[in-house]
Every structure is written in structure tokens, then in C-alpha cells.
Amino acid sequence: MSDNKGCFCRQTIDPAAAEMLEKAGREKIETTWDRYERQQPQCGFGDLGICCRNCLQGPCRINPFGEPKEGICGADADLIVARNLLRTIAGGASSHADHSYSAIKCLKAAAEGSAPYSIAGADKIKSVAAKLGIGTEGKADSDVALEIAIAALEDYGSYSDEPMRWLKATVSPGLYERWEKLGILPKSPDREIRTAMHQTSMGVDGSPVNLLLSCLKLGLVDGYGGLQIGTDIQDILFGIPSPVKSEANLGVLSEDKVNIIVHGHMPEVSEKVVEWAGKLEDEAKAAGAAGINIAGICCSGNEVLMRQGVPLAGNYLSQELAIITGAVDAMVVDVQCFMPSITKVASCYHTKVVTTSPIGQLPDAEYIPFEPEGVDESAQKVVRLAIEAYKGRDAAKLQIPKHKSEAWGGFSVESIVGALAAVDPENPLKPLVDNIVAGNVYGAVGVVGCNNAKVTQDRTAVEMVKDLLAHNVLVVATGCTAHALAKYGFLSPDGAKKYAGEKLLAVLTAVGEAAGLGGPLPPVLHMGSCVDNSRIGDLLGALAGYLGVDIKDLPVAASAPELQHEKAVSIGTWAVAMGVLTHVGVIPPVLGGPLVAKVLTSDIEGMTGGKFYVETDPHEAATGILAHIESKRKALGI
Ligand code: BF8
Ligand code: SF4
């Protein structure tokens, strides 16, 4: 119910989102931005991270300008900030660990024949088995897949003091040794998350530096227990993504088809909805629709774009706006990043909201559990519910923005290497490395993460990436940032001509044409969901291995320009642990602890080679990242 008449430039740079905000105003629908305004001013203690309520004597607050300097128990600002940060990172790691655990259980059930998933990634079975040292000779794929699932479960259930097997199997010996020396190698993910909760409780760890080391450890829990296991297993279940053309933004919704939005994170839900939408198309036609159109929001969208070419409807801040089009017949959610407000918005339209997870319930939604064993029946129910809802659409409320852009997805490491192999089949990484050395590709940046109501939707990501591409920096993207860039054409071959510097464009064109794409590669390669950030880790590991250097020596950086979720903080911490400069465009709640802020943005570099870089201005951020890349190039003598 914004009273803003016509201009939504504080809220978003996306014209489709602005059009829906205008409609929301007319129809008196509240959105997240209205609630954001009502939260102002936000609490200064919380902003600085110096509020503690870890025991019932609290809440205790530290005055950054005077007294009190300590909480009732004597905890000072740095201690409170460090404890809060570790809890945030443990929260993020737990989201990804729980996600991965669910994928593992799904693979196990599929391999045992009790869940109807096809196990589509035969190549991934081989590569994962090889890295784990599981023999494949003479074994059926499903038997190897079962051994892999059990190996993953053993990492979760391990009571030994050995570090995670999956981590050791994935990273270089150099990285492993550095983490071993720092004492941050994680054992089982569950155990580390439990210990972090204990360590941060009242009257345990009083050392901010020790807590920060645990932050790094929990970053590794996320990186290997969450992202790596999750992506490896999902590729085994659903196949390794390969380049696929699609579209992005609210204009992908259809006026005459049943529109089903998949929203959340779990491909075992979204893949099944896509499958059954295809199978039940005739039922939709019998109901008077032209067919069924699936579109994605948040990382569920990324997952089904990567493997099925399903279009992206919008990122995190667009979820309510999709419903406001009046065109969404069902929105299916699973876990993470759906706003509790969506049922309230949906109640003003004909839209059915469906929850699918026992831990992701909404009081006014329809709950259709997606257990692996009965998943086909559940997916059919969802599709039929959407077809039924379609019959109740109100034409007077229908307004689908025209905006959409061509967007390519599917850039797994395997498919990137495959495209490069078209240039040099013997030595696929050579063309990329040669071009980096020659300066045609000045460096590479992984731009990842969310939207955040505190910052104008998509603006920081888009402005910063424009600067990076103009300076011939190759960009890879995941998460809601990939959606953001998709909306403005960065994920299309035309985007290369529009945004890439001359030298980068020449490289993208040579590789794209050699790989048979008929034009340049997009200047931003969409590598998937947030869980798929492990693909970026794999790519960095491969490049470093090829060059015989550490990841910390590469001319690369990471950036989460508009992060909001705890998961983005834990992913960023993993990147810093790997040795990567990690930009964040939203100030995290750590500035109240001067020691903590200094360690994270400076001293930590001496331990891991990486550090956080906080900069809210997109152009300044690009300048800082370019300077970092330049310094790494110089150190490499290139
Ligand atoms: O895991 S980018 S808002 S959807 S947390 Fe959430 Fe952030 Fe989007 Fe994917 Ni990632
Ligand atoms: Fe206050 Fe200490 Fe309790 Fe935190 S743990 S609420 S600082 S007394």
C-alpha cells in the first residue's frame, strides 16, 4: 500500500516490479517494502551486533559511545558480536546441511528403488565415486549411487574425530593442510552446529578470536556438508546441467495457461512438479487453459532453469509481486526464503499456496507433504489444485507485466569445461588460463546472494557487474543475483555485445562459436542456486590446480551485493576460508565489535588469504574488486 505515486526507484530498478508495486497500491495490497518502512528506524544496537539475549538476564546492550561497556555477565562488545556472528553462520550452515541431508535421503530411497526418481546423472556418479575412492567396476549405477548416499550419511552420522570425508575428497592437499593448521577442519556437520550453539551460550567461550575461528569452521561445514554434498547428490539425482536457453522476469507468466510457481530450494519438489505438469497438460486443456506454464522464484527457480530450462519469474523481493499479477494459480514452496506474508497476499487473489515440508508450514496454505516414496501422488495433487484454481481466476485483477529477457542457464563446471574443450580438447582449461594470462580475461568474480529490502532491488548487483564486465572481468552468478542479472540481459549472448569489454567479448565469441552456440557465451554464466556455489569452488580449485598455485593467489573475487539470509553469510565465510576476497554490499551487524570487524576485514587475510570487503556503493565496490584483481595479477607476474 505504498502511497508512492508512480516512482518506485527507492524500492527497485526492475520495471516489472515497479508496475506490480503500482498495482499493489491501487489494490491496497501490502508488500515487504511497506513493512520495511514501518520498521524504520531499525534498532541501532542490532545493526551494530551489540545486543545479546543469549540468557534470560538479558537483553543486554552495549553503548558504543560510553557506558555500559559490558553485559550483565561481563561480555563486552567484541564477544557479543563474535557470538552473534557464529550463531548466524551456524544458522546458515544448518539450512544448507538440512537441505543436503534431505537430498541424500532422497538419493538413497531412489537407489533402493523405493522413490520414483530416475538417478539421471551417470557421469556424476563416476566422478563423485572416483573422488571418494568408491570402486565402480562391474557395479550397477544404482549400487554405486547407494554407496555414495551412504558415504554422505556417514559424514553426517560420524562420531569419529576425523574431519569430513567429503571435504578431504574435494579440496587440494594444500588447502586441507592450511585448515588443519588453523584447527578448523569440521567433523560431522551436525556435531559442529551443535558445538557452535554450545560455544556461544552463556558462560562458555569468552574469546572473540576463538569464536571467529569457529566461524571459519562453520563456513566449511556449509561449504562441504551443505553446498558440496548437496550439489554432488542433486547432480546424481537430476543430471549435470548443460547450457539451456530460457527467459526471466514476470513477463514469463502466461495469460492463457495455468501458471504454477515453484519457490524455495529443493529440486526433489520442483523437478516433480515440472514432470507432472508435463504429464497433466491435457487436464489443463480440458479446464479451458492453453496448457501449463511453470516458472520459478528464488533457488527452486534456479534449479529447474539449470536442468529443465524453466523460466525465472523473479527473485526474493518479487515473490509477493508475482501473486499480485493475478496470474499465479498455485505457488508451491518447500524450505527457505519464502515470506510468511505470501498467504496473506494470495488471499486477495485466487492463488493457492501449497507447502510441502513438515518444517515449512504456513497456517493458511494447503499442506501436501512431498515424501520421497509418495512424491508422484503429491506432485499430481499440486498440479490438479492449480488447474482447479485456474478456473477461479479473476480477469479484472489480471495484469502481467510485459517485461522479460532472454536468459541462459546450465553452466555447471562440466559444461564450462565442455565448451572450452571445443577450443582445446586435449587441455580444456588452457584457453581460459591463456586468456587470463594474456589479460583478455582480466579476472573472474562470482556474484551471488540475495535481494534485501534495505537496498534497491537489483541495483547494486547490476551496477557493479556492468563495471566489472566493462573491465573484461568474467562474471559467474548464482542465487537471486543470477535472477537479477537475468532480468537485464546479462545472461544472454546479446548481453555480451552490450556489456562485455572488447577483449572479453572476443574470448566469449571464440568459445561460444567453437562450442556451437552460434554466438558469444553470455558475459555472466549462470552456475545455479545458492547450494550450487560449490560449483564455483570446484572451478576455482580446478584453475588453481592447473596453474599450480593456491586459490588465494588467483585474480578472482566473490561478491554478495544484496545479501540478506544467514546462508549468504555462511557461504561468504566459506569463500573467505578458501582464500577469496569476499565483497558484501550490505553492512553486516559486526561494526559494534572493533576487534571482530578488524579481524574479518584485515587480519584474517594472514590466516586464509581471504577477507571480507564491505562496500555499499556498487561503483566503489567494482573499483575495489578490480584493484584486488590487479594486485593478484601482479603477484603472479602477469
Ligand atoms: O539460497 S539468494 S534470498 S533464494 S538465500 Fe534466499 Fe538469498 Fe535468494 Fe536461494 Ni540464497
Ligand atoms: Fe547479557 Fe551475558 Fe546473558 Fe548475554 S549472556 S544476555 S550479555 S548476561
Side-chain angles (χ1 to χ4, degrees), residues 95-96 99 227 263-265 297-302 314-317 319 335-338 448-452 478-483 528-533 562-569 571:
S95 295
H96 284 141
H99 173 135
L227 314 183
H263 176 11
H265 288 81
I297 284 188
C298 285
C299 282
S300 287
N302 289 322
N315 45 6
Y316 169 76
L317 281 175
Q319 57 186 284
V335 287
Q336 303 165 20
C337 300
F338 53 90
V448 308
C450 323
N451 289 148
N452 181 323
T478 59
C480 286
T481 301
H483 281 254
S529 64
C530 292
V531 160
D532 287 337
N533 278 313
E562 301 175 24
L563 74 167
Q564 60 88 2
H565 205 279
E566 287 175 332
K567 292 177 287 173
V569 183
I571 292 171

